């Protein structure tokens, strides 16, 4: 794999491929070989291709942070699917610079309790889609803090691709990391959405309530991710429309269907039954009904009777 590079002795179990575009005129620095005794959990040792598709690119939020005093992180960009159902994949690309005139080990942490990683645990599914290497693991005893570090090939000459374990304040690398298994977007704050309920089809045998959820987040630089919502839908008006016409309420149908695409795909309902029709359903967004920015999604509940 490394036959066309001078670094041929890199232990494959310590490294994975990482995408890095070196800044112009990176200074080559001679450093001594040093080792670290820090323990690692859940190391990922694989590479995977980036899925093609339509993407929105925005500035990085505070999910990625320096992991030690030798590290500073600079401007970056998040890449998320243009539509929540188009991919389970997302990436972040950011600068890493040392803080000292002497070479020191750099380290970056990712908080897996924050979007878009909220709900993930461990380093499985994370990868780096380019030619430059790093390690990916988690803190000992903390599977929700992802840890990135550079690698050493045992040589003395710094190289941005395969001998980048140490950085000085005059060296900056641009690191990219992706996840191929982003979870269902976490619930957002209640003031991130407005929710309106209107009548759809409204007949003696079919009475539909249309729930329109609209995002209120105008700053997608500060909050670039999809977020979830929950709403308690009162079914009483629809049921009364059926019974008021002398009909018997039979069941309720949903668009999107609760089973569309799997349990994490469309919506969640509590209670889960459609017959008998409950007076109130708690509707929870899943992957395809999450909202980003000022986007809008609709969910329709139709009560049928005869």
């Amino acid at each position: 794999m490394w036959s066309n590079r001078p670094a041929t002795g890199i232990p494959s179990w310590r490294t994975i491929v990482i995408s890095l575009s070196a800044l112009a005129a990176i200074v080559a620095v001679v450093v001594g070989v040093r080792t670290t005794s820090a323990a690692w959990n859940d190391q990922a040792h694989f590479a995977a291709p980036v899925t093609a598709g339509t993407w929105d690119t925005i500035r990085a939020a505070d999910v990625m942070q320096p992991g030690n005093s030798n590290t500073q992180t600079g401007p970056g960009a998040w890449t998320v699917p243009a539509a929540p159902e188009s991919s389970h994949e997302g990436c972040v690309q950011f600068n890493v610079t040392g803080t000292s005139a002497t070479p020191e080990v750099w380290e970056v942490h990712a908080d897996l309790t924050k979007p878009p990683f909220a709900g993930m645990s461990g380093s499985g599914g994370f990868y780096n889609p380019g030619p430059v290497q790093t390690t990916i693991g988690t803190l000992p005893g903390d599977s929700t803090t992802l840890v990135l570090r550079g690698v050493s090939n045992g040589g003395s000459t710094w190289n941005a691709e395969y001998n980048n374990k140490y950085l000085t304040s005059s060296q900056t690398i641009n690191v990219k990391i992706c996840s191929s298994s982003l979870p269902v977007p976490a619930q957002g704050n209640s003031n991130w959405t407005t929710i309106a309920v209107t009548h759809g089809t409204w007949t003696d045998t079919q009475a539909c309530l249309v729930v329109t959820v609209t995002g209120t987040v105008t700053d997608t630089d500060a909050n670039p991710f999809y977020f979830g919502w929950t709403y308690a839908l009162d079914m009483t008006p629809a049921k009364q429309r059926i019974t008021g016409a002398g009909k018997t309420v039979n069941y309720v149908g949903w668009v999107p269907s609760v089973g569309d695409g799997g349990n994490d795909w469309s919506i969640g309902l509590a209670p889960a039954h459609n017959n008998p029709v409950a007076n109130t359903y708690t509707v929870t967004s899943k992957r395809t009904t999450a909202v980003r920015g000022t986007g809008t999604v609709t969910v329709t509940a139709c009560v049928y009777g005869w």
Side-chain angles (χ1 to χ4, degrees), residues 76-267:
W78 286 95
T79 307
V80 297
E85 69 273 16
S86 63
S87 175
H88 295 192
E89 188 169 53
C91 301
V92 59
Q93 189 167 351
F94 55 95
N95 290 338
V96 180
T97 305
T99 60
S100 172
T102 58
E104 301 289 349
V105 173
W106 65 270
E107 184 174 304
V108 172
H109 291 178
D111 188 346
L112 302 188
T113 68
K114 294 181 179 180
F117 306 131
M120 299 182 70
S121 179
S123 58
F126 286 96
Y127 68 94
N128 308 100
V132 178
Q133 303 163 52
T134 189
T135 57
I136 298 181
T138 56
L139 287 179
D142 181 3
S143 62
T144 61
T145 299
L146 198 73
V147 180
L148 307 181
R149 285 179 177 168
V151 296
S152 173
N153 71 340
S156 60
T157 302
W158 185 86
N159 183 282
E161 288 191 0
Y162 49 79
N163 199 18
N164 57 14
K165 184 175 182 178
Y166 305 97
L167 288 177
T168 69
S169 55
S170 63
Q171 293 172 319
T172 298
I173 57 177
N174 186 252
V175 176
K176 186 174 185 179
I177 182 174
C178 300
S179 171
S180 60
S181 54
L182 290 179
V184 172
Q187 291 288 300
N189 295 341
S190 59
N191 62 349
W192 290 359
T193 57
T194 60
I195 299 178
V197 180
T198 57
H199 291 176
T201 301
W202 204 250
T203 69
D204 292 352
T205 57
Q206 181 181 353
C208 299
L209 299 172
V210 180
V211 181
T212 301
V213 182
T214 303
T216 62
V217 176
T218 57
D219 186 355
T220 52
D221 282 342
N223 187 356
F225 309 117
Y226 289 96
F227 51 86
W229 52 269
T230 297
Y231 183 70
L233 178 60
D234 182 4
M235 302 299 298
T236 305
K239 294 172 70 174
Q240 289 179 342
R241 176 66 180 88
I242 300 298
T243 58
K247 308 296 184 180
T248 299
V249 171
N250 186 260
Y251 71 98
V252 58
W254 298 86
V255 178
S257 172
V258 178
D260 285 352
N263 292 334
D264 72 343
W265 197 247
S266 54
I267 55 174

